[in-house]
Amino acid sequence: MSILDNRRLLKSEIDKVAEVAGYLWEKGWAERNGGNITINVTEWVDDGIRALPSIAGPFEIGFTLPHIEGCWFYCKGTGKRMRDLARDPMGNGSIIRILPGGARYEIVADSPVVPTSELPSHLAVHNYLLGKGSPYRASLHTHPIELVALTHSRKWMERDVATRMLWSMIPETKAFCPRGLGMVPYMMPSSNELAEATIRTLDEDYDVVMWEKHGVFAVDTDVMSAFDQVDVLNKSAQIYIAARSMGFDPEGMSPAQMAELSSAFGLPK
Ligand code: 2HA
Ligand code: ZN
């Protein structure tokens, strides 16, 4: 691929981050500096970018991550707002490269914006994804109101109880979030423990993981697809709440309707 194609594709991935950041703000999922996005952009990095000098660092990641050694990421900046990133992704995020050894990174472009506080979780997840040969290149963390509200109840934190309810609210949800919603009990934000629990849950074959009383962490091929999975799940939570606030328990699609949908779309049971 030519350098111009690479640059165009790299720009288009960063433009998608800006577009999604705008949606997160509009949905009320990104108060203050809430949420973060990290994209593995290695495949679009050309020799010109590779030759760029470091502008800050090296910094320790806090983990040793062998599969992302030499990889490049676009990361939202720490303390930066999604609503600002939507207008100016390179002023509110930066491109980093992981140094040989996979334990440190340096900031390369455009300015020394230090990456998100959740960087260890994001990079550990990218390391896990590359290690298993996944085509997923995007990770998204956000605070969707109704999904976070669900995690304040023990009932919904039980394995796949929320998944089954959310899938049954509207056929699209299982079709477009076919692995459902994994649950991670409350842990300190930004901790290595939370990063490890997130990876364990993704490895149980979820693309979207709930952090109890905090937010979601979603992975997919690109940031738009990761956003779509969270969006369909949260839409289902809103339908559930709308029914409850009309004074009844929603019926949900029946097991026979779910089974018919799963076989029509080739979805897991
Ligand atoms: O980056 O949402 O969990 C802000 C957060 C941390
Ligand atoms: Zn958060």
Side-chain angles (χ1 to χ4, degrees):
M1 213 180 298
S2 78
I3 282 188
L4 285 180
D5 281 340
N6 268 327
R7 295 277 165 106
R8 191 172 48 75
L9 292 170
L10 177 58
K11 180 173 185 309
S12 122
E13 291 308 304
I14 293 174
D15 287 347
K16 277 188 228 169
V17 174
E19 186 178 338
V20 165
Y23 299 152
L24 299 177
W25 166 249
E26 285 162 18
K27 285 185 162 289
W29 298 355
E31 71 292 343
R32 201 172 178 272
N33 62 322
N36 26 71
I37 298 175
T38 307
I39 311 291
N40 183 343
V41 295
T42 312
E43 61 201 274
W44 302 292
V45 166
D46 55 49
D47 289 345
I49 297 177
R50 248 186 295 277
L52 288 172
S54 159
I55 52 176
F59 302 103
E60 297 290 330
I61 299 170
F63 284 119
T64 298
L65 303 168
H67 301 297
I68 60 166
E69 177 177 47
C71 286
W72 296 66
F73 295 88
Y74 169 84
C75 308
K76 173 180 170 277
T78 186
K80 301 295 186 189
R81 298 178 177 87
M82 289 293 181
R83 62 182 191 262
D84 294 333
L85 195 155
R87 278 184 290 105
D88 179 11
M90 292 310 297
N92 292 277
S94 50
I95 304 243
I96 65 166
R97 71 175 154 230
I98 311 299
L99 294 172
R104 294 181 311 153
Y105 69 92
E106 56 193 17
I107 303 173
V108 178
D110 274 348
S111 55
V113 175
V114 174
T116 158
S117 60
E118 301 286 3
L119 191 71
S121 308
H122 282 259
L123 292 183
V125 165
H126 284 286
N127 182 67
Y128 157 76
L129 292 170
L130 286 189
K132 69 167 197 172
S134 164
Y136 287 6
R137 295 290 177 266
S139 59
L140 162 70
H141 163 59
T142 186
H143 303 162
I145 301 164
E146 291 80 4
L147 289 177
V148 175
L150 277 181
T151 70
H152 285 262
S153 150
R154 287 295 124 219
K155 167 182 161 189
W156 299 117
M157 284 304 294
E158 273 171 39
R159 191 187 176 94
D160 287 334
V161 175
T163 298
R164 280 192 295 276
M165 178 277 280
L166 295 167
W167 278 350
S168 79
M169 287 297 107
I170 180 172
E172 269 73 5
T173 305
K174 186 169 184 187
F176 299 119
C177 184
R179 299 191 169 91
L181 184 61
M183 294 296 186
V184 170
Y186 183 82
M187 289 175 198
M188 214 18 222
S190 321
S191 63
N192 289 358
E193 189 193 18
L194 178 58
E196 284 157 6
T198 302
I199 291 168
R200 274 198 307 279
T201 311
L202 292 171
D203 198 46
E204 289 164 9
D205 211 23
Y206 295 100
D207 291 338
V208 188
V209 168
M210 243 8 261
W211 291 347
E212 181 183 322
K213 303 183 182 101
H214 179 171
V216 295
F217 193 99
V219 292
D220 209 319
T221 48
D222 69 358
V223 70
M224 201 60 77
S225 309
F227 168 77
D228 282 336
Q229 293 212 50
V230 180
D231 194 28
V232 295
L233 289 167
N234 199 68
K235 172 70 174 270
S236 276
Q238 289 176 316
I239 294 169
Y240 176 82
I241 292 161
R244 291 291 304 252
S245 54
M246 288 173 200
F248 59 89
D249 274 328
E251 200 168 74
M253 293 160 60
S254 69
Q257 289 165 340
M258 291 305 302
E260 183 194 23
L261 178 85
S262 302
S263 69
F265 280 79
L267 305 172
K269 285 272 174 315

